[in-house]
Amino acid sequence: MKADPAVVATGMHFIDGNEACAEGALAAGCRFVAGYPITPSTEVVEHLAKRFPRVGGMFIQMEDEIASSICFQGAVWAGMKAMTVTSGPGLSLMMEHVGLAAMTECPSVFVDVQRAGPSTGLPTLPAQQDVMQVRWGSHGDYEVIALSPSSPQECFDHAVTCFNLAEKFRCPVFFMMDETVGHMLGKVKIPPADQIEVAERRLTTRKPGEYRPYEIYGGDQPEMVRAGMGHRIHTTGLTHDERGYPAMNAAAQDKLIRRLCSKVLDHVEELTIHEATNVEGSDVTIVAYGITARVAAYAVDLARRQGVKAGLVKLVTLWPFNDRLMRDIAASTKNIIVAEMNLGQMVHEVERAVAGKVPVHLVGQAGGAIVEPEAIVAKIQEVLR
Amino acid sequence: MSEAYVNPVEKLLRTERIPHIWCPGCGIGTSVNCFARAIEKTGIDYEHLHVVSGIGCTGRVAGYVNVDSFHTTHGRAIPFATGLSLSRPTSKVVVYSGDGDLTAIGGNHFIHAARRNVDMTVICVNNLTYGMTGGQVTPTTPQTAIASTMPYGNYEAAFNLPNLADACGANFVARWTVFHVRQLVRTMTKALAMKGFTFIEVLAPCPTLYQRRNRLGDGVETLKYYKEKSIIQNGANTAGVGLCFQSEIVVGEFVERQRPSLREEYDARMKAVLKDAYVPYEGTK
Ligand SMILES: Cc1ncc(C[n+]2csc(CCOP(=O)(O)OP(=O)(O)O)c2C)c(N)n1
Ligand code: SF4
């Protein structure tokens, strides 16, 4: 399906990442957003509060993030594409409903414009400290998808991707910006609506009585319904059987949870978005994501001008993590440096996947300011000394 | 069972899920029976009725009613129902909730949904205790009553739920006990047909935990108490309907107003400001 031309703001725009994200959501078909104000994410919902009443959408400012993170799921079950928008402390409050979205297989988009923590931290300054929170924040075993854009353009493009993935995989999908990307102004090209691919919800065509909400009828994902189609479905955050009814036993739990995990993990390759440059035969490869990937690109340039064989891997997909990709990189380079705006989160995944094949180093700092290219260059020199 | 007689409530129940989990003498089942009869009376198309609940013994209601039903998280049925209701304007959304679920962990959502006047009917089965987790104190436990976390008697002031809903602006506020089945059916029927936020408190025994711990006998004993101590007072000032331990119980339909619902306010405002540029949010039909 293509995007709705009545809604898509086709053209060249000079806007920030937050606004681009809002426009991406609109293009993807999002028409309902519940949120609670928190810096540096607020412009996303402020923009939609203005835009929605002109395009048949609705924003509601809920009483808190807990309410926001389940209110939009009510809209999703009503048949809408919907999302919530927040930043670190708000995301912490939402975690129980990340679990609910995983358990009920609700196509859910959570936008997280990261700021420095823990706790109230640095309200207006950037960080990449929520990487592990989005992966592990709710209790239990489950899988999520998380994408991290590095520019306003990617904020638009991958906001669309997030909605499409949510429909396809029916799991929580995180769009992990950071303050810098959210507030960064840049040229954003919004294509004509007929060039924007929008995933439709896969509503069942089975008749009431012939449909079980959590049975897999071919493919990997159960078919969905919305309230009011006459199927009289039941959904619960409890462990459930194919009918959606509570099933309080270990076997049912094991079966369900394994499926919830494998429906994402079996598609790691398909889900991996990344850009690799000059990795083959390099002495050192930088792995980075979000704003740090842009800094790293500059650092790699500096190093190459000094004659260093340096490469770069920019990760857009953070979760699920692609072990194969990391092993391939390890086979093509002599050293890996992970640069991130935290004291070491993604670096642990890289280390695990690389499993000692090459040394893995970290350039990290505790948020509040972007990683300086000089810090990455200095690390490159140190590693190659 | 003879072919000629089918219990009228059966249509609304997922009979394949019976037996239910509720204890003998528990009041939740009676409330569901009344709910089913009220649904029949309103003639609402089942396709356009959605039940949302949180967690607790009462929260399990969603699993037993044969409509699109959503068993969500503890205390959060109302915000889920808010998204559902706004996006399904042609449906009736009902929240079925225990007192702890609704007014302790969910208290903030309750007051804001009433303030916003979201289109939904909230039915609160108030058994004065946390049933599912073993009889702890709730914001509605009367002072001096014993609870597992109030072994020496509750010393906290209790919520007067009708007064709370009234103060927040609910369009309709009523209270009955599970002894008052006819009145409850009538009131539910009325609330279901209304716009905006409508609230019904249903006092119900939890013989297993509340009654036994307070030596109040079984479910039947409690119904006798409801019968003897209830005073029907429609239109009563909600400030005066608070409950004390084994005191008189004021029941009836207390509040009825016609405040515009959230949707109506939204539409009116956007139309006034944006005029023809306004495209209403329709959700799904
Ligand atoms: C976040 C969270 N906290 C606590 C619980 C545990 N819990 C389950 S039911 C319940 C109380 C329910 O009491 P009430 O709403 O009065 O319903 P009843 O069981 O009496 O019908 C609690 C605290 C939970 N499930 N989730
Ligand atoms: S514990 Fe109490 S509220 Fe729960 S089913 Fe038993 S009697 Fe009812």
Side-chain angles (χ1 to χ4, degrees):
Chain A
M1 199 173 90
K2 305 294 181 191
D4 180 356
V7 171
V8 177
T10 302
M12 286 300 276
H13 302 268
F14 195 62
I15 51 178
D16 70 10
N18 282 347
E19 211 174 319
C21 167
E23 287 297 332
L26 278 169
C30 175
R31 294 291 178 272
F32 186 91
V33 171
Y36 187 80
I38 183 166
T39 309
S41 75
T42 313
E43 295 85 355
V44 179
V45 295
E46 285 171 348
H47 186 70
L48 290 169
K50 261 200 224 119
R51 282 276 267 138
F52 268 157
R54 295 164 177 276
V55 297
M58 187 172 185
F59 166 66
I60 182 165
Q61 181 174 318
M62 293 299 284
E63 52 274 15
D64 57 31
E65 285 87 349
I66 300 176
S68 307
S69 63
I70 190 165
C71 178
F72 87 95
Q73 295 190 40
V76 171
W77 280 105
M80 303 304 299
K81 289 192 181 179
M83 69 173 179
T84 189
V85 180
T86 192
S87 184
L91 193 66
S92 298
L93 287 179
M94 291 181 174
M95 279 304 158
E96 190 185 10
H97 295 140
V98 171
L100 182 73
M103 196 56 142
T104 57
E105 300 182 63
C106 177
S108 309
V109 176
F110 295 81
V111 174
D112 172 30
V113 188
Q114 298 169 82
R115 70 190 220 179
S119 191
T120 313
L122 280 173
T124 59
L125 297 177
Q128 295 176 311
Q129 296 173 315
D130 299 352
V131 175
M132 289 298 165
Q133 179 176 219
V134 307
R135 173 65 187 84
W136 299 107
S138 199
H139 59 287
D141 286 305
Y142 62 102
E143 292 292 329
V144 302
I145 297 170
L147 305 188
S148 182
S150 326
S151 65
Q153 182 67 54
E154 285 184 1
C155 288
F156 176 87
D157 295 343
H158 290 313
V160 178
T161 315
C162 283
F163 275 93
N164 290 349
L165 293 176
E167 291 307 325
K168 178 141 194 224
F169 290 93
R170 291 189 60 179
C171 68
V173 177
F174 294 90
F175 198 35
M176 302 190 66
M177 298 145 75
D178 63 69
E179 186 278 334
T180 323
V181 170
H183 287 156
M184 173 190 288
L185 279 161
K187 247 196 270 173
V188 175
K189 185 182 170 196
I190 300 184
D194 63 6
Q195 286 173 27
I196 302 172
E197 203 56 54
V198 170
E200 247 174 303
R201 184 152 304 166
R202 203 156 64 94
L203 291 178
T204 192
T205 50
R206 266 155 226 271
K207 294 194 188 73
E210 291 169 5
Y211 166 78
R212 288 149 47 108
Y214 292 101
E215 191 169 329
I216 310 288
Y217 302 107
D220 305 305
Q221 311 289 343
E223 293 167 353
M224 210 166 165
V225 288
R226 57 163 174 77
M229 275 171 66
H231 288 81
R232 306 205 200 166
I233 54 150
H234 182 60
T235 65
T236 173
L238 288 167
T239 300
H240 45 267
D241 59 21
E242 277 82 5
R243 296 170 302 174
Y245 294 170
M248 298 297 106
N249 62 75
Q253 160 83 0
D254 195 72
K255 185 175 173 205
L256 174 62
I257 301 307
R258 279 183 197 281
R259 182 174 67 71
L260 294 185
C261 292
S262 63
K263 72 172 183 173
V264 175
L265 295 179
D266 289 353
H267 296 269
V268 174
E269 294 298 334
E270 177 192 338
L271 284 164
T272 302
I273 305 171
H274 77 291
E275 286 166 29
T277 31
N278 297 319
V279 175
E280 197 57 49
S282 65
D283 289 328
V284 59
T285 291
I286 317 296
V287 174
Y289 50 92
I291 187 62
T292 314
R294 293 183 70 158
V295 175
Y298 184 59
V300 165
D301 255 12
L302 291 177
R304 290 179 73 83
R305 263 183 255 152
Q306 292 168 10
V308 177
K309 281 204 253 168
L312 173 68
V313 176
K314 174 175 111 174
L315 301 177
V316 176
T317 304
L318 303 189
W319 305 113
F321 190 78
N322 191 329
D323 286 16
R324 194 268 319 148
L325 173 68
M326 282 306 141
R327 282 197 299 271
D328 285 357
I329 290 161
S332 317
T333 191
K334 295 203 182 75
N335 294 280
I336 291 176
I337 294 173
V338 178
E340 49 187 343
M341 228 189 306
N342 57 52
L343 295 186
Q345 296 200 15
M346 202 44 110
V347 67
H348 298 304
E349 282 298 286
V350 176
E351 268 172 353
R352 184 186 52 72
V354 165
K357 296 279 183 328
V358 296
V360 176
H361 307 269
L362 169 71
V363 178
Q365 63 188 37
I370 57 168
V371 176
E372 292 296 333
E374 290 73 22
I376 298 176
V377 174
K379 193 70 172 187
I380 293 173
Q381 284 161 349
E382 180 194 318
V383 164
L384 298 181
R385 200 167 292 140
Chain B
M1 188 170 44
S2 87
E3 275 183 357
Y5 183 76
V6 177
N7 192 323
V9 300
E10 238 176 61
K11 277 208 272 175
L12 191 77
L13 300 180
R14 297 182 200 275
T15 42
E16 77 271 23
R17 292 213 58 212
I18 309 290
H20 55 67
I21 62 157
W22 298 312
C23 310
C26 176
I28 299 170
T30 310
S31 82
V32 174
N33 196 318
C34 294
F35 179 60
R37 286 165 201 271
I39 295 297
E40 280 310 299
K41 278 194 158 187
T42 55
I44 298 174
D45 182 355
Y46 281 21
E47 198 177 309
H48 296 289
L49 174 69
H50 314 315
V51 173
V52 184
S53 68
I55 302 296
C57 297
T58 311
R60 293 301 183 95
V61 168
Y64 297 119
V65 289
N66 195 8
V67 294
D68 287 324
S69 55
F70 304 91
H71 182 223
T72 66
T73 49
H74 189 32
R76 319 298 176 191
I78 283 182
F80 184 97
T82 299
L84 186 65
S85 165
L86 288 169
S87 305
R88 291 281 311 149
T90 49
S91 291
K92 182 76 211 180
V93 174
V94 176
V95 166
Y96 228 109
S97 199
D99 49 295
D101 194 50
L102 194 74
T103 71
I105 191 165
N108 202 32
H109 310 310
F110 179 73
I111 63 178
H112 288 285
R115 170 182 68 81
R116 294 188 175 108
N117 213 12
V118 186
D119 282 305
M120 64 173 74
T121 293
V122 176
I123 297 167
C124 176
V125 176
N126 185 0
N127 52 23
L128 311 177
T129 193
Y130 281 19
M132 189 155 266
T133 40
Q136 294 85 12
V137 70
T138 97
T140 58
T141 307
Q143 282 196 332
T144 74
I146 306 286
S148 70
T149 46
M150 281 289 183
Y152 306 111
N154 180 25
Y155 46 82
E156 293 183 6
F159 264 145
N160 167 351
L161 296 184
N163 191 223
L164 183 63
D166 180 11
C168 297
N171 259 2
F172 181 79
V173 180
R175 170 199 279 157
W176 297 103
T177 76
V178 290
F179 170 75
H180 300 90
V181 286
R182 281 167 199 279
Q183 294 92 331
L184 188 53
V185 173
R186 207 179 332 119
T187 290
M188 283 176 165
T189 311
K190 187 168 176 179
L192 287 165
M194 282 181 69
K195 279 190 179 167
F197 189 89
T198 56
F199 174 67
I200 303 167
E201 180 184 21
V202 184
L203 288 174
C206 169
T208 310
L209 295 158
Y210 182 81
Q211 267 69 21
R212 193 176 57 184
R213 191 163 276 133
N214 284 286
R215 301 177 189 282
L216 300 173
D218 57 12
V220 177
E221 215 73 48
T222 308
L223 288 184
K224 276 190 200 144
Y225 157 65
Y226 289 160
K227 182 180 173 204
E228 281 157 21
K229 294 283 192 135
S230 294
I231 302 168
I232 298 180
Q233 221 178 304
N234 292 313
N237 181 344
T238 57
V241 305
L243 299 172
C244 301
F245 187 69
Q246 294 300 93
S247 65
E248 286 173 340
I249 305 167
V250 181
V251 293
E253 295 177 357
F254 304 138
V255 177
E256 201 177 331
R257 33 171 107 89
Q258 306 288 335
R259 267 208 312 144
S261 71
L262 176 64
R263 278 194 73 82
E264 291 170 332
E265 296 277 22
Y266 178 78
D267 271 339
R269 181 79 198 152
M270 294 304 167
K271 262 183 210 144
V273 178
L274 295 176
K275 310 232 161 38
D276 288 348
Y278 172 49
V279 182
Y281 177 65
E282 291 183 335
T284 57
K285 284 192 195 126

